[in-house]
Amino acid sequence: PVLNLLFFAILCLHGTQSSTNVDSEDAALRILESRGRRVSPSVEQRSASPPLDHRRATRALLFSIPPTVMFTVFGVHVLTTYGFGVFVGAPFVLGFLIALLLNVDGTQTLRHCTSTALTGVTLVGLCFLLMGFEGLICLMMAAPIAYPLAWLGACVGYAVSRSGKSAHHGRSMTWAITALLPGLMAAEYAAKPIPPLWEVRTTVEIDAPPEIVWRHVVSFPSLPEPSDRLFGTGIAYPQRAEIVGSGVGAVRYCVFSTGAFVEPIDVWDPPRRLHFRVTEQPPPMREWSPYDIHPPHLDHYLSSRAGEFRLSSPAPGRTLLEGSTWYENRMWPTAYWRIWSDFIIGRIHRRVLDHVRGLAEADAAAPAASERD
């Protein structure tokens, strides 16, 4: 983040946009029109926005996309970092390079530069998908930060290209910005930032006493297949829970669609609290891809550390059940990726708690029904 801010500061100090011939002609056109004079067709033609130079746009894309793909693959598969270099630096640099190369002679508009940069982001994502480096769902999750940053990079690149500097200076800027991306990734790899520990808590009120709810918290039979569309995208979902032993030291297995969480119990306080650590976990999802892929971020970049169930009785015969998960997310910027992880973990909680509520309320209703009979 510090390098990114320094980079933005350098660009801000680079210089402001100078007047161009087109700007002068626009001003002259407005003056002539205000005086009621007839404007010559040549001035009108020069004042109109030029069309996109498709040949130059193609060259800009061909020069910018391969290094972006290469450095991103290097950062992910060699340095194993999913940080600011990948999710912030790469799209910004891509947009910057495309705009700088497209508008090298100052004839292209800002709209041309930004639209070409957004096309470049789409093509980079398509390369990752077809080359088997990433799946479609993960690319869609990264899109809300990649597209705005590429747009911002294109705006900065357009401003630099309009600053009136020489062609040699533009080429120097191109090489400097290209070299910045692997440097940022290497700096993140050396720093190895420690991810914070986050908690997601979900609650549900159950029409059954805590003693009955406790039995279904410790273990529960198989859940029906989910109707939630989120889990149809490949996100792992819980199927059942089993326990080996009883009390502290017992091991709970929460079986998901991609494997089992191994959860040794370290607090056993029936019927109030069950706390456990997570020592093993399955992949968080199955990727949507034409190939059978396993990107590095599926290996413990989203790591569950512990879980807990708390039971309290807000009224006689009722239970307030709280489920908590503590996890780390090693993908940056954490403020963005936490939105996704909190949302997904919350939906997983809801699936489990609703299942426990259904089982407990059915058990609580069975004796009352038998008494009426």
Side-chain angles (χ1 to χ4, degrees):
V2 175
L3 290 176
N4 274 304
L5 293 175
L6 178 62
F7 172 49
F8 295 153
I10 292 172
L11 292 177
C12 291
L13 296 174
H14 183 270
T16 58
Q17 178 178 332
S18 61
S19 298
T20 63
N21 293 333
V22 175
D23 297 331
S24 301
E25 290 173 354
D26 289 340
L29 177 62
R30 288 192 295 271
I31 293 173
L32 291 173
E33 289 178 342
S34 66
R35 294 180 179 179
R37 297 184 181 180
R38 186 175 180 179
V39 182
S40 64
S42 60
V43 175
E44 290 179 349
Q45 291 172 359
R46 288 196 301 269
S47 300
S49 298
L52 173 64
D53 189 332
H54 294 281
R55 183 174 298 179
R56 185 174 294 163
T58 301
R59 287 200 298 267
L61 291 170
L62 289 176
F63 183 86
S64 305
I65 290 175
T68 303
V69 172
M70 179 183 67
F71 289 137
T72 304
V73 172
F74 171 77
V76 168
H77 290 269
V78 178
L79 300 181
T80 62
T81 60
Y82 280 86
F84 286 91
V86 172
F87 295 114
V88 176
F92 183 91
V93 169
L94 177 66
F96 181 91
L97 291 178
I98 289 175
L100 196 64
L101 295 171
L102 177 61
N103 198 40
V104 67
D105 61 351
T107 61
Q108 300 298 294
T109 65
L110 176 62
R111 181 174 60 84
H112 292 153
C113 292
T114 54
S115 61
T116 306
L118 298 181
T119 301
V121 174
T122 303
L123 293 175
V124 167
L126 188 61
C127 288
F128 289 147
L129 181 65
L130 295 180
M131 295 169 66
F133 290 125
E134 277 296 344
L136 180 61
I137 298 300
C138 289
L139 292 174
M140 293 173 63
M141 293 169 69
I145 54 175
Y147 281 104
L149 286 167
W151 180 89
L152 177 62
C155 291
V156 176
Y158 174 81
V160 171
S161 69
R162 299 271 290 179
S163 62
K165 303 295 182 180
S166 64
H168 173 74
H169 186 269
R171 287 193 295 270
S172 300
M173 285 288 293
T174 301
W175 289 113
I177 298 304
T178 304
L180 178 70
L181 185 55
L184 176 59
M185 294 176 179
E188 285 187 301
Y189 173 77
K192 290 183 172 59
I194 299 175
L197 188 66
W198 304 108
E199 179 189 3
V200 178
R201 180 179 298 177
T202 309
T203 63
V204 64
E205 192 163 337
I206 302 174
D207 188 15
E211 293 78 12
I212 293 179
V213 176
W214 172 266
R215 298 199 302 265
H216 299 292
V217 163
V218 172
S219 64
F220 51 80
S222 296
L223 287 77
E225 285 299 302
S227 58
D228 193 332
R229 293 182 179 179
L230 173 70
F231 300 123
T233 63
I235 301 293
Y237 54 88
Q239 294 178 321
R240 65 183 184 278
E242 305 167 352
I243 192 166
V244 178
S246 178
V248 175
V251 179
R252 187 173 181 268
Y253 297 89
C254 192
V255 180
F256 275 60
S257 56
T258 56
F261 284 80
V262 180
E263 304 167 345
I265 307 298
D266 49 21
V267 176
W268 180 280
D269 184 18
R272 290 185 292 271
R273 185 182 176 211
L274 179 72
H275 187 277
F276 49 85
R277 294 173 290 111
V278 177
T279 57
E280 295 181 29
Q281 67 177 56
M285 67 179 300
R286 290 190 178 99
E287 290 281 9
W288 275 10
S289 171
Y291 319 102
D292 183 16
I293 63 173
H294 191 85
H297 65 78
L298 296 183
D299 294 323
H300 307 298
Y301 276 83
L302 178 64
S303 303
S304 296
R305 295 303 183 191
E308 182 177 83
F309 291 99
R310 285 183 176 269
L311 294 79
S312 59
S313 183
R318 297 188 66 83
T319 301
L320 180 66
L321 175 61
E322 298 181 358
S324 296
T325 296
W326 288 267
Y327 74 95
E328 295 176 345
N329 194 338
R330 297 180 179 274
M331 299 173 70
W332 311 86
T334 54
Y336 174 75
W337 290 109
R338 187 187 175 190
I339 296 173
W340 286 103
S341 53
D342 282 7
F343 172 73
I344 292 171
I345 293 173
R347 296 286 277 271
I348 291 172
H349 282 182
R350 180 58 58 189
R351 173 172 163 83
V352 170
L353 296 186
D354 286 347
H355 184 58
V356 170
R357 177 173 59 185
L359 295 173
E361 290 181 349
D363 281 1
S370 62
E371 288 178 3
R372 288 195 300 269
D373 293 341

